[in-house]
Amino acid sequence: MGRLLQFNIFRYNPQDPESVPHTDTFVLEETDSMTLFIALNRIREEQDSSLQFDFCCRAGICGSCGMVINGRPGLACHTKTKDLPSDVTLLPLPVFRLVGDLSVDTGSWFREMYNTVESWIHTKKTFDPSALEERMDNGTAEGIYELDRCVECGCCVAACGTARMRQDFLGAVALNRIARFVIDPRDERTDQEYYDIIGNDHGIFGCMGLLACEDVCPKHLPLQNQLGFLRRKMGITALKSIFRK
Amino acid sequence: MQTVYTDVLVIGAGLAGERAALECADAGLSTICLSVVPARRSHSSAAQGGMQAALGNCAMGEGDGPDVHFADTVKGSDWGCDQEVARLFVDTAPVEMRRLAFWGVPWNRVVPGKSSYFKGGQKYEKVEKEENKGLITARAFGGTAKWRTCYVSDGTGHSVLFTMDNRCAQLGVEVHDKTEAVSLIHDGETCFGAVARCLKTGELRVYLAKATMIATGGFGRIYPNTTNAVICDGGGHILAVNTGAVPMGNMEAVQFHPTGIVPTDILVTEGCRGDGGTLLDVNQERFMHIYEPEKAELASRDVVSRWMTHHIRQGKGVPSPYGEHLWLDIRHLGEKHITGKLREVYEICTSFLGINPIHQLIPVRPTHHYSMGGVRTNKDGAAYGLKGLFSAGEAACWDMHGFNRLGGNSLAETVVAGGIVGRKMAEYALGAEVIFKSTVIDGEARAQEERIQALISGKNGSQSVYKVRAAMQEALNKGANIFRNAPDLEACVATLQDVLGRAREVGLKSSGLGASPELAAALKIEGQVKMALMVAHGALQRTESRGSHNREDFPARNDRDWLVRTLATWKSPEDTLPTLAYEPATQVFEIPPGDRGYGKTDVISAESKKE
């Protein structure tokens, strides 16, 4: 017989007038290769069909299942129960609006973020369907993809001291997104234009350098390097604009 | 109840839906996409390998062109596809890849000079031309004559989807995420939009539109073991099935992917085999070259999956607590390649299996993967049966895949079809005069409210939706799998009819308040069982083997009687079986039915006379 796992799960349904925030406890017998995806589905199907949580790809690719697992934000789908003690506490990600139980609304937060940073290629060119594609160095393409790998799970935001204190902080994910466009030769924005978006306290100067974002990133993105890269670049931009005055 | 009006409503915000929405937004139409998850979590994001388009830039793609791509696609489909649509697809694909590059996709590019590659475990050399430096490059995939699959490492779907969603934000396409359509509003002739449920609050909303598109991806979750995301549950198809007017095409055509990992059925990309990975048996010996000397591991998916199952049946499978499996070997590709171009594979193996594919073998077995069938449309993407309704991507049976889809053709289809159908839909919406009938709209909204109340109150019964779902999945798994035969299919249909009765007696255990996941499942279950019956009943009637549909009792491909597409309609809500009809597989033949060059089977030719 496998271990008996005790799951302490945060419960609250904002749409139910009788619901109050509390913790429910569920007990499951551990099976081979059990992940939190398997465990939570079993709890919902066998013990409490009202339990809310989010999974989508269940393969670590889509970023749906970010939650706080024994105090640490992470993806539930690739968290194996054998790597956890028999007592497991699950909480929804902070910062994002709660939908219910472990489910939060990351979609609205991220849409607002990419409207703020204008997360698209800015170019004056128009597409010519009859022309060959513009050439690009393969190394450059791979460099862009390195930063493009973010799955917007929200773990870095949830783990961020600044984001917990100030609602307008863009977070490591947004700075990483900007860095992706800064190194993309197709984006014609100037350093000054980037500076106008992130050269302030809700951008690069809000970071306290606690490094938690990078520690919890399930895709192992070099988030602090990007922040450093942008700070140096934006610092130079700021100096230039002072001398220009 | 809140009513939202828009010119165009796209149900689904994956690649096909968003690509179509962009065409409509570009035409100046107001466009809303509904999505059950934030758009970037759509299952399009999970596609690793790449997109087929005959650019012919890389050394191994020299001499490629739309004609070669066309021949591969038609052969891949085992002559089950609509050849007009396949032609449209192959001609448009290269332009779409370039457009994606323009929008921001960081495609891998040609690097000039000598480099090595693997095929069948052997190392070979190739030389990339200086003049092609920096153009979009490609990798090999199964069933293709040339290297044609454009890729972004093994995160192609992710990268393209993020680019597409960026573009949607730029052009002001609204995405209403965590919103699920629960029924179409129609009067039997014209579609007026949909009733949808907010998955944040549980409230119902009416969306009215001149043109509505179903682009909700596949329905793999009606099977128990599938590579599909949990949202690929057929929600979009059910909307169409429940109209009683819109037929589903070729529902019996279900693809199994050779390399789902054991036990979780997460997919590792065909790029593994394309880049030179091999399949090994219990003795760690290759076997695919015995069955397919020419193509070996790079035959089409239907063929490889079938031989793998056959080989396991010959006693060459690897025993495990989860049943027998085979091995995928990519060790010889080396650390740099595996942690670079196959990094998602590396991460899946380390995170979910606890094995390191640089030094260890990956346990794999054929797993349900793709639905060739779906909402039957014409070549413009307009659904049969209702005006103003369109469909694109895996949700649709536009039909360039016939009875087996080639790897890299579905991700390409999402953007190519999304573009083509999106333009047609915009044309329709700009020219259409739609008169919304308030009695129809109010009636549909009320019907959905009543359906939800009945489920919450337990008025219909107290069957558990999860148990009914498991019974449906098990029945399909037993009866309508890789190998099929009459007795198993008959049993499957009978079981599913029983399950259908239970699905009509589902009642909730929870309050159903708010986002209630149990209510979401319960609203779908009857429709899911109807689709399962379309798969099983269609497969029972089709007495031949074609592509992924493999009848042990009818091993020959029968072009004389079955060069047709199945159309399955659920005519009346009380029916216990779908109504089947047939139409020619294609109106136009550029290539007459012939040998595929792999997966040898007998063919009963169209010319042979009936006795």
PDB file of all heavy atoms in Angstrom, chain B residues 552-578:
ATOM      1  N   GLU B 552      -9.779  -5.389 -39.280  1.00  0.00           N
ATOM      2  CA  GLU B 552      -9.119  -6.702 -39.402  1.00  0.00           C
ATOM      3  C   GLU B 552      -9.932  -7.629 -40.295  1.00  0.00           C
ATOM      4  O   GLU B 552      -9.386  -8.499 -40.975  1.00  0.00           O
ATOM      5  CB  GLU B 552      -8.975  -7.332 -38.011  1.00  0.00           C
ATOM      6  CG  GLU B 552      -7.992  -6.589 -37.137  1.00  0.00           C
ATOM      7  CD  GLU B 552      -8.040  -7.051 -35.693  1.00  0.00           C
ATOM      8  OE1 GLU B 552      -9.107  -6.880 -35.062  1.00  0.00           O
ATOM      9  OE2 GLU B 552      -7.028  -7.581 -35.225  1.00  0.00           O
ATOM     10  N   ASP B 553     -11.265  -7.432 -40.287  1.00  0.00           N
ATOM     11  CA  ASP B 553     -12.122  -8.303 -41.098  1.00  0.00           C
ATOM     12  C   ASP B 553     -12.293  -7.794 -42.532  1.00  0.00           C
ATOM     13  O   ASP B 553     -12.859  -8.484 -43.371  1.00  0.00           O
ATOM     14  CB  ASP B 553     -13.497  -8.497 -40.423  1.00  0.00           C
ATOM     15  CG  ASP B 553     -14.060  -7.220 -39.807  1.00  0.00           C
ATOM     16  OD1 ASP B 553     -13.358  -6.184 -39.838  1.00  0.00           O
ATOM     17  OD2 ASP B 553     -15.192  -7.246 -39.292  1.00  0.00           O
ATOM     18  N   PHE B 554     -11.809  -6.603 -42.824  1.00  0.00           N
ATOM     19  CA  PHE B 554     -11.828  -6.080 -44.195  1.00  0.00           C
ATOM     20  C   PHE B 554     -10.511  -5.364 -44.457  1.00  0.00           C
ATOM     21  O   PHE B 554     -10.437  -4.139 -44.480  1.00  0.00           O
ATOM     22  CB  PHE B 554     -13.004  -5.102 -44.395  1.00  0.00           C
ATOM     23  CG  PHE B 554     -14.356  -5.753 -44.266  1.00  0.00           C
ATOM     24  CD1 PHE B 554     -15.032  -5.748 -43.042  1.00  0.00           C
ATOM     25  CD2 PHE B 554     -14.942  -6.381 -45.358  1.00  0.00           C
ATOM     26  CE1 PHE B 554     -16.274  -6.361 -42.910  1.00  0.00           C
ATOM     27  CE2 PHE B 554     -16.196  -6.995 -45.234  1.00  0.00           C
ATOM     28  CZ  PHE B 554     -16.862  -6.979 -44.006  1.00  0.00           C
ATOM     29  N   PRO B 555      -9.422  -6.137 -44.660  1.00  0.00           N
ATOM     30  CA  PRO B 555      -8.081  -5.537 -44.702  1.00  0.00           C
ATOM     31  C   PRO B 555      -7.788  -4.695 -45.948  1.00  0.00           C
ATOM     32  O   PRO B 555      -6.841  -3.920 -45.942  1.00  0.00           O
ATOM     33  CB  PRO B 555      -7.144  -6.745 -44.637  1.00  0.00           C
ATOM     34  CG  PRO B 555      -7.960  -7.904 -45.079  1.00  0.00           C
ATOM     35  CD  PRO B 555      -9.381  -7.610 -44.731  1.00  0.00           C
ATOM     36  N   ALA B 556      -8.576  -4.838 -47.008  1.00  0.00           N
ATOM     37  CA  ALA B 556      -8.264  -4.097 -48.242  1.00  0.00           C
ATOM     38  C   ALA B 556      -8.870  -2.696 -48.221  1.00  0.00           C
ATOM     39  O   ALA B 556      -9.928  -2.475 -47.633  1.00  0.00           O
ATOM     40  CB  ALA B 556      -8.779  -4.857 -49.455  1.00  0.00           C
ATOM     41  N   ARG B 557      -8.161  -1.777 -48.884  1.00  0.00           N
ATOM     42  CA  ARG B 557      -8.775  -0.469 -49.148  1.00  0.00           C
ATOM     43  C   ARG B 557      -9.725  -0.657 -50.322  1.00  0.00           C
ATOM     44  O   ARG B 557      -9.316  -1.146 -51.377  1.00  0.00           O
ATOM     45  CB  ARG B 557      -7.694   0.552 -49.505  1.00  0.00           C
ATOM     46  CG  ARG B 557      -8.239   1.982 -49.582  1.00  0.00           C
ATOM     47  CD  ARG B 557      -7.159   2.974 -49.973  1.00  0.00           C
ATOM     48  NE  ARG B 557      -7.013   3.040 -51.422  1.00  0.00           N
ATOM     49  CZ  ARG B 557      -5.877   3.378 -52.033  1.00  0.00           C
ATOM     50  NH1 ARG B 557      -4.797   3.625 -51.329  1.00  0.00           N
ATOM     51  NH2 ARG B 557      -5.810   3.430 -53.347  1.00  0.00           N
ATOM     52  N   ASN B 558     -10.967  -0.287 -50.145  1.00  0.00           N
ATOM     53  CA  ASN B 558     -11.979  -0.588 -51.147  1.00  0.00           C
ATOM     54  C   ASN B 558     -12.450   0.689 -51.842  1.00  0.00           C
ATOM     55  O   ASN B 558     -13.414   1.327 -51.414  1.00  0.00           O
ATOM     56  CB  ASN B 558     -13.157  -1.307 -50.447  1.00  0.00           C
ATOM     57  CG  ASN B 558     -14.210  -1.759 -51.426  1.00  0.00           C
ATOM     58  OD1 ASN B 558     -14.277  -1.280 -52.562  1.00  0.00           O
ATOM     59  ND2 ASN B 558     -15.053  -2.678 -50.986  1.00  0.00           N
ATOM     60  N   ASP B 559     -11.744   1.035 -52.935  1.00  0.00           N
ATOM     61  CA  ASP B 559     -12.102   2.265 -53.663  1.00  0.00           C
ATOM     62  C   ASP B 559     -13.391   2.093 -54.463  1.00  0.00           C
ATOM     63  O   ASP B 559     -14.020   3.071 -54.852  1.00  0.00           O
ATOM     64  CB  ASP B 559     -10.961   2.678 -54.595  1.00  0.00           C
ATOM     65  CG  ASP B 559      -9.732   3.126 -53.837  1.00  0.00           C
ATOM     66  OD1 ASP B 559      -9.886   3.607 -52.695  1.00  0.00           O
ATOM     67  OD2 ASP B 559      -8.611   2.980 -54.367  1.00  0.00           O
ATOM     68  N   ARG B 560     -13.753   0.820 -54.688  1.00  0.00           N
ATOM     69  CA  ARG B 560     -14.970   0.554 -55.454  1.00  0.00           C
ATOM     70  C   ARG B 560     -16.204   1.011 -54.671  1.00  0.00           C
ATOM     71  O   ARG B 560     -17.073   1.683 -55.209  1.00  0.00           O
ATOM     72  CB  ARG B 560     -15.055  -0.956 -55.746  1.00  0.00           C
ATOM     73  CG  ARG B 560     -16.228  -1.361 -56.631  1.00  0.00           C
ATOM     74  CD  ARG B 560     -16.344  -2.875 -56.665  1.00  0.00           C
ATOM     75  NE  ARG B 560     -16.675  -3.394 -55.324  1.00  0.00           N
ATOM     76  CZ  ARG B 560     -16.465  -4.645 -54.936  1.00  0.00           C
ATOM     77  NH1 ARG B 560     -15.895  -5.521 -55.749  1.00  0.00           N
ATOM     78  NH2 ARG B 560     -16.817  -5.038 -53.723  1.00  0.00           N
ATOM     79  N   ASP B 561     -16.238   0.693 -53.361  1.00  0.00           N
ATOM     80  CA  ASP B 561     -17.439   0.988 -52.567  1.00  0.00           C
ATOM     81  C   ASP B 561     -17.263   2.118 -51.554  1.00  0.00           C
ATOM     82  O   ASP B 561     -18.245   2.677 -51.081  1.00  0.00           O
ATOM     83  CB  ASP B 561     -17.858  -0.270 -51.780  1.00  0.00           C
ATOM     84  CG  ASP B 561     -18.075  -1.456 -52.688  1.00  0.00           C
ATOM     85  OD1 ASP B 561     -18.651  -1.262 -53.780  1.00  0.00           O
ATOM     86  OD2 ASP B 561     -17.632  -2.584 -52.341  1.00  0.00           O
ATOM     87  N   TRP B 562     -16.021   2.424 -51.203  1.00  0.00           N
ATOM     88  CA  TRP B 562     -15.823   3.309 -50.052  1.00  0.00           C
ATOM     89  C   TRP B 562     -14.952   4.533 -50.311  1.00  0.00           C
ATOM     90  O   TRP B 562     -14.412   5.107 -49.371  1.00  0.00           O
ATOM     91  CB  TRP B 562     -15.248   2.508 -48.871  1.00  0.00           C
ATOM     92  CG  TRP B 562     -16.266   1.587 -48.274  1.00  0.00           C
ATOM     93  CD1 TRP B 562     -16.353   0.238 -48.428  1.00  0.00           C
ATOM     94  CD2 TRP B 562     -17.373   1.966 -47.445  1.00  0.00           C
ATOM     95  NE1 TRP B 562     -17.433  -0.256 -47.752  1.00  0.00           N
ATOM     96  CE2 TRP B 562     -18.080   0.783 -47.134  1.00  0.00           C
ATOM     97  CE3 TRP B 562     -17.841   3.181 -46.939  1.00  0.00           C
ATOM     98  CZ2 TRP B 562     -19.228   0.776 -46.345  1.00  0.00           C
ATOM     99  CZ3 TRP B 562     -18.981   3.179 -46.152  1.00  0.00           C
ATOM    100  CH2 TRP B 562     -19.659   1.999 -45.858  1.00  0.00           C
ATOM    101  N   LEU B 563     -14.856   4.949 -51.558  1.00  0.00           N
ATOM    102  CA  LEU B 563     -14.126   6.192 -51.835  1.00  0.00           C
ATOM    103  C   LEU B 563     -15.072   7.367 -51.532  1.00  0.00           C
ATOM    104  O   LEU B 563     -15.350   8.221 -52.371  1.00  0.00           O
ATOM    105  CB  LEU B 563     -13.660   6.221 -53.301  1.00  0.00           C
ATOM    106  CG  LEU B 563     -12.540   7.203 -53.657  1.00  0.00           C
ATOM    107  CD1 LEU B 563     -11.329   7.044 -52.758  1.00  0.00           C
ATOM    108  CD2 LEU B 563     -12.134   7.039 -55.106  1.00  0.00           C
ATOM    109  N   VAL B 564     -15.571   7.344 -50.316  1.00  0.00           N
ATOM    110  CA  VAL B 564     -16.610   8.297 -49.910  1.00  0.00           C
ATOM    111  C   VAL B 564     -16.322   8.844 -48.520  1.00  0.00           C
ATOM    112  O   VAL B 564     -15.564   8.260 -47.755  1.00  0.00           O
ATOM    113  CB  VAL B 564     -18.011   7.624 -49.874  1.00  0.00           C
ATOM    114  CG1 VAL B 564     -18.463   7.243 -51.267  1.00  0.00           C
ATOM    115  CG2 VAL B 564     -18.012   6.413 -48.945  1.00  0.00           C
ATOM    116  N   ARG B 565     -16.966   9.962 -48.232  1.00  0.00           N
ATOM    117  CA  ARG B 565     -16.868  10.558 -46.905  1.00  0.00           C
ATOM    118  C   ARG B 565     -18.171  10.294 -46.155  1.00  0.00           C
ATOM    119  O   ARG B 565     -19.261  10.466 -46.705  1.00  0.00           O
ATOM    120  CB  ARG B 565     -16.637  12.061 -47.031  1.00  0.00           C
ATOM    121  CG  ARG B 565     -16.550  12.808 -45.696  1.00  0.00           C
ATOM    122  CD  ARG B 565     -16.188  14.265 -45.903  1.00  0.00           C
ATOM    123  NE  ARG B 565     -14.948  14.364 -46.657  1.00  0.00           N
ATOM    124  CZ  ARG B 565     -14.879  14.708 -47.929  1.00  0.00           C
ATOM    125  NH1 ARG B 565     -15.966  15.026 -48.593  1.00  0.00           N
ATOM    126  NH2 ARG B 565     -13.722  14.745 -48.548  1.00  0.00           N
ATOM    127  N   THR B 566     -18.040   9.866 -44.901  1.00  0.00           N
ATOM    128  CA  THR B 566     -19.228   9.628 -44.083  1.00  0.00           C
ATOM    129  C   THR B 566     -19.748  10.960 -43.537  1.00  0.00           C
ATOM    130  O   THR B 566     -18.957  11.782 -43.066  1.00  0.00           O
ATOM    131  CB  THR B 566     -18.871   8.725 -42.880  1.00  0.00           C
ATOM    132  OG1 THR B 566     -18.187   7.570 -43.365  1.00  0.00           O
ATOM    133  CG2 THR B 566     -20.121   8.295 -42.123  1.00  0.00           C
ATOM    134  N   LEU B 567     -21.052  11.149 -43.623  1.00  0.00           N
ATOM    135  CA  LEU B 567     -21.678  12.326 -42.994  1.00  0.00           C
ATOM    136  C   LEU B 567     -22.626  11.818 -41.914  1.00  0.00           C
ATOM    137  O   LEU B 567     -23.559  11.077 -42.202  1.00  0.00           O
ATOM    138  CB  LEU B 567     -22.456  13.138 -44.033  1.00  0.00           C
ATOM    139  CG  LEU B 567     -21.647  13.722 -45.198  1.00  0.00           C
ATOM    140  CD1 LEU B 567     -22.561  14.420 -46.197  1.00  0.00           C
ATOM    141  CD2 LEU B 567     -20.585  14.693 -44.685  1.00  0.00           C
ATOM    142  N   ALA B 568     -22.359  12.195 -40.679  1.00  0.00           N
ATOM    143  CA  ALA B 568     -23.184  11.712 -39.558  1.00  0.00           C
ATOM    144  C   ALA B 568     -23.956  12.883 -38.960  1.00  0.00           C
ATOM    145  O   ALA B 568     -23.371  13.898 -38.584  1.00  0.00           O
ATOM    146  CB  ALA B 568     -22.291  11.076 -38.499  1.00  0.00           C
ATOM    147  N   THR B 569     -25.262  12.736 -38.880  1.00  0.00           N
ATOM    148  CA  THR B 569     -26.113  13.797 -38.329  1.00  0.00           C
ATOM    149  C   THR B 569     -26.961  13.218 -37.208  1.00  0.00           C
ATOM    150  O   THR B 569     -27.392  12.063 -37.292  1.00  0.00           O
ATOM    151  CB  THR B 569     -27.058  14.357 -39.421  1.00  0.00           C
ATOM    152  OG1 THR B 569     -26.326  14.547 -40.614  1.00  0.00           O
ATOM    153  CG2 THR B 569     -27.678  15.676 -38.991  1.00  0.00           C
ATOM    154  N   TRP B 570     -27.166  14.008 -36.139  1.00  0.00           N
ATOM    155  CA  TRP B 570     -28.060  13.567 -35.067  1.00  0.00           C
ATOM    156  C   TRP B 570     -29.398  14.260 -35.295  1.00  0.00           C
ATOM    157  O   TRP B 570     -29.601  15.387 -34.880  1.00  0.00           O
ATOM    158  CB  TRP B 570     -27.489  13.910 -33.697  1.00  0.00           C
ATOM    159  CG  TRP B 570     -28.011  12.958 -32.673  1.00  0.00           C
ATOM    160  CD1 TRP B 570     -29.207  13.057 -32.008  1.00  0.00           C
ATOM    161  CD2 TRP B 570     -27.407  11.743 -32.235  1.00  0.00           C
ATOM    162  NE1 TRP B 570     -29.373  11.975 -31.190  1.00  0.00           N
ATOM    163  CE2 TRP B 570     -28.288  11.147 -31.302  1.00  0.00           C
ATOM    164  CE3 TRP B 570     -26.215  11.083 -32.556  1.00  0.00           C
ATOM    165  CZ2 TRP B 570     -28.003   9.938 -30.668  1.00  0.00           C
ATOM    166  CZ3 TRP B 570     -25.934   9.891 -31.926  1.00  0.00           C
ATOM    167  CH2 TRP B 570     -26.815   9.325 -30.992  1.00  0.00           C
ATOM    168  N   LYS B 571     -30.276  13.584 -36.037  1.00  0.00           N
ATOM    169  CA  LYS B 571     -31.488  14.245 -36.565  1.00  0.00           C
ATOM    170  C   LYS B 571     -32.441  14.712 -35.473  1.00  0.00           C
ATOM    171  O   LYS B 571     -32.947  15.827 -35.511  1.00  0.00           O
ATOM    172  CB  LYS B 571     -32.228  13.292 -37.507  1.00  0.00           C
ATOM    173  CG  LYS B 571     -31.431  12.926 -38.753  1.00  0.00           C
ATOM    174  CD  LYS B 571     -31.735  13.868 -39.890  1.00  0.00           C
ATOM    175  CE  LYS B 571     -31.080  13.345 -41.179  1.00  0.00           C
ATOM    176  NZ  LYS B 571     -30.929  14.369 -42.195  1.00  0.00           N
ATOM    177  N   SER B 572     -32.732  13.823 -34.522  1.00  0.00           N
ATOM    178  CA  SER B 572     -33.700  14.180 -33.487  1.00  0.00           C
ATOM    179  C   SER B 572     -33.071  13.929 -32.124  1.00  0.00           C
ATOM    180  O   SER B 572     -32.331  12.960 -31.936  1.00  0.00           O
ATOM    181  CB  SER B 572     -34.953  13.313 -33.655  1.00  0.00           C
ATOM    182  OG  SER B 572     -35.646  13.238 -32.421  1.00  0.00           O
ATOM    183  N   PRO B 573     -33.347  14.806 -31.135  1.00  0.00           N
ATOM    184  CA  PRO B 573     -32.705  14.647 -29.822  1.00  0.00           C
ATOM    185  C   PRO B 573     -32.983  13.283 -29.184  1.00  0.00           C
ATOM    186  O   PRO B 573     -32.174  12.803 -28.387  1.00  0.00           O
ATOM    187  CB  PRO B 573     -33.338  15.760 -28.979  1.00  0.00           C
ATOM    188  CG  PRO B 573     -33.918  16.726 -29.938  1.00  0.00           C
ATOM    189  CD  PRO B 573     -34.233  15.980 -31.192  1.00  0.00           C
ATOM    190  N   GLU B 574     -34.098  12.652 -29.545  1.00  0.00           N
ATOM    191  CA  GLU B 574     -34.432  11.370 -28.911  1.00  0.00           C
ATOM    192  C   GLU B 574     -33.730  10.183 -29.569  1.00  0.00           C
ATOM    193  O   GLU B 574     -33.778   9.065 -29.053  1.00  0.00           O
ATOM    194  CB  GLU B 574     -35.947  11.105 -28.945  1.00  0.00           C
ATOM    195  CG  GLU B 574     -36.779  12.018 -28.049  1.00  0.00           C
ATOM    196  CD  GLU B 574     -37.013  13.371 -28.689  1.00  0.00           C
ATOM    197  OE1 GLU B 574     -37.227  13.408 -29.928  1.00  0.00           O
ATOM    198  OE2 GLU B 574     -36.934  14.390 -27.975  1.00  0.00           O
ATOM    199  N   ASP B 575     -33.122  10.380 -30.727  1.00  0.00           N
ATOM    200  CA  ASP B 575     -32.486   9.264 -31.446  1.00  0.00           C
ATOM    201  C   ASP B 575     -31.443   8.578 -30.570  1.00  0.00           C
ATOM    202  O   ASP B 575     -30.857   9.194 -29.679  1.00  0.00           O
ATOM    203  CB  ASP B 575     -31.809   9.775 -32.720  1.00  0.00           C
ATOM    204  CG  ASP B 575     -32.827  10.087 -33.809  1.00  0.00           C
ATOM    205  OD1 ASP B 575     -34.023   9.793 -33.593  1.00  0.00           O
ATOM    206  OD2 ASP B 575     -32.425  10.653 -34.841  1.00  0.00           O
ATOM    207  N   THR B 576     -31.213   7.290 -30.857  1.00  0.00           N
ATOM    208  CA  THR B 576     -30.158   6.578 -30.125  1.00  0.00           C
ATOM    209  C   THR B 576     -29.013   6.186 -31.051  1.00  0.00           C
ATOM    210  O   THR B 576     -28.062   5.532 -30.633  1.00  0.00           O
ATOM    211  CB  THR B 576     -30.711   5.312 -29.459  1.00  0.00           C
ATOM    212  OG1 THR B 576     -31.280   4.492 -30.462  1.00  0.00           O
ATOM    213  CG2 THR B 576     -31.777   5.665 -28.419  1.00  0.00           C
ATOM    214  N   LEU B 577     -29.120   6.566 -32.321  1.00  0.00           N
ATOM    215  CA  LEU B 577     -28.034   6.347 -33.275  1.00  0.00           C
ATOM    216  C   LEU B 577     -27.988   7.538 -34.230  1.00  0.00           C
ATOM    217  O   LEU B 577     -29.031   8.130 -34.524  1.00  0.00           O
ATOM    218  CB  LEU B 577     -28.287   5.089 -34.114  1.00  0.00           C
ATOM    219  CG  LEU B 577     -27.729   3.745 -33.676  1.00  0.00           C
ATOM    220  CD1 LEU B 577     -27.993   2.716 -34.758  1.00  0.00           C
ATOM    221  CD2 LEU B 577     -26.235   3.803 -33.365  1.00  0.00           C
ATOM    222  N   PRO B 578     -26.795   7.881 -34.714  1.00  0.00           N
ATOM    223  CA  PRO B 578     -26.736   8.938 -35.721  1.00  0.00           C
ATOM    224  C   PRO B 578     -27.285   8.446 -37.061  1.00  0.00           C
ATOM    225  O   PRO B 578     -27.309   7.241 -37.312  1.00  0.00           O
ATOM    226  CB  PRO B 578     -25.240   9.230 -35.827  1.00  0.00           C
ATOM    227  CG  PRO B 578     -24.573   7.968 -35.418  1.00  0.00           C
ATOM    228  CD  PRO B 578     -25.466   7.335 -34.393  1.00  0.00           C
TER     229      PRO B 578
END
